[in-house]
Amino acid sequence: GNSVTQMEGPVTLSEEAFLTINCTYTATGYPSLFWYVQYPGEGLQLLLKATKADDKGSNKGFEATYRKETTSFHLEKGSVQVSDSAVYFCALSLYNQGGKLIFGQGTELSVKP
Amino acid sequence: DTAVSQTPKYLVTQMGNDKSIKCEQNLGHDTMYWYKQDSKKFLKIMFSYNNKELIINETVPNRFSPKSPDKAHLNLHINSLELGDSAVYFCASSQPRRGETQYFGPGTRLLVL
């Protein structure tokens, strides 16, 4: 089946620390990959995405590269800020399955000043 | 301008009641979705409609009935509410193309007492 596995949280970092959140996937086809972010009490916002192997998605200092050989899409940021505190979701979609998003379990990030 | 809106934002009700959640998008998208987020923040697809036609129904109890009067609206009606229905329900929309971003509403927080 199709699934996404993320590293478990919560993750607590000091401001300006380096962030990595691991994400691996299993898919029966050729998925598109996404990172969504959910701030407290809000809906989900797209952070970045990649639709083919070796593509790098980037936004607001966050980056992730679509690695087909390792079926991974790890999220990185060089220097986190307090305002990055949120829950981060890795997800995949398959066009031939109606485009639904299949989510990982979410990783809560807390950044301390 | 709100892209995807949901009403109500909060819903507190008794077991056995029937309730509806409404969703509207002004992005001109053809596809709309309902997702359920449980207390551990895990997100799972429930339904998807493309141009008013049901295309995804993910083993959801038949107490849940989606209705799409037009492609800008997707409502969710829940009969005979149970304690386990307590969750946050998110509506989303996108174009039906590979890798398209889904835009999420702010969520409806349902509490069944």
Side-chain angles (χ1 to χ4, degrees):
Chain A
N2 304 305
S3 65
V4 176
T5 303
Q6 287 179 238
M7 64 186 279
E8 288 196 19
V11 173
T12 302
L13 296 173
S14 297
E15 209 165 18
E16 298 184 4
F18 185 85
L19 169 71
T20 300
I21 301 177
N22 289 336
C23 171
T24 56
Y25 68 89
T26 303
T28 52
Y30 196 153
S32 298
L33 301 174
F34 304 82
W35 277 100
Y36 278 84
V37 58
Q38 185 177 26
Y39 297 102
E42 297 185 11
L44 281 81
Q45 304 173 25
L46 178 73
L47 183 58
L48 53 84
K49 68 179 182 182
T51 58
K52 59 183 191 293
D54 300 325
D55 269 1
K56 179 188 281 190
S58 60
N59 185 23
K60 300 181 183 178
F62 291 89
E63 292 183 341
T65 300
Y66 189 144
R67 300 285 187 206
K68 197 173 180 198
E69 63 276 12
T70 54
T71 61
S72 64
F73 193 53
H74 304 319
L75 183 67
E76 296 182 336
K77 187 176 186 184
S79 175
V80 293
Q81 306 300 312
V82 172
S83 57
D84 294 326
S85 298
V87 181
Y88 292 81
F89 292 93
C90 186
L92 68 82
S93 75
L94 288 159
Y95 181 65
N96 64 358
Q97 294 193 17
K100 66 184 179 185
L101 286 168
I102 296 170
F103 287 93
Q105 67 268 41
T107 302
E108 184 176 0
L109 171 67
S110 177
V111 180
K112 307 294 185 190
Chain B
D1 237 4
T2 304
V4 182
S5 59
Q6 294 179 230
T7 53
K9 192 164 185 183
Y10 299 97
L11 193 47
V12 181
T13 188
Q14 300 288 328
M15 263 196 322
N17 283 351
D18 303 339
K19 289 292 178 187
S20 291
I21 306 171
K22 296 189 175 189
C23 178
E24 177 181 1
Q25 54 97 2
N26 63 6
L27 297 168
H29 290 159
D30 289 335
T31 306
M32 296 184 73
Y33 307 83
W34 278 111
Y35 290 88
K36 179 180 180 181
Q37 185 174 45
D38 65 21
S39 58
K40 295 183 179 178
K41 295 204 177 293
F42 185 68
L43 281 147
K44 191 165 167 30
I45 184 75
M46 299 175 70
F47 301 103
S48 172
Y49 270 73
N50 187 60
N51 246 327
K52 303 193 296 175
E53 182 184 344
L54 179 68
I55 57 171
I56 296 175
N57 183 343
E58 288 274 315
T59 60
V60 177
N62 58 16
R63 297 182 296 104
F64 290 78
S65 51
K67 280 192 174 52
S68 181
D70 56 61
K71 73 174 194 177
H73 296 84
L74 180 61
N75 304 323
L76 184 65
H77 187 75
I78 316 171
N79 288 328
S80 303
L81 277 155
E82 300 178 356
L83 294 177
D85 298 332
S86 296
V88 182
Y89 293 85
F90 287 102
C91 178
S93 74
S94 74
Q95 288 295 31
R97 288 190 290 263
R98 185 178 181 279
E100 280 293 311
T101 300
Q102 288 187 25
Y103 293 85
F104 283 77
T108 295
R109 284 148 185 83
L110 171 65
L111 178 60
V112 182
L113 303 174

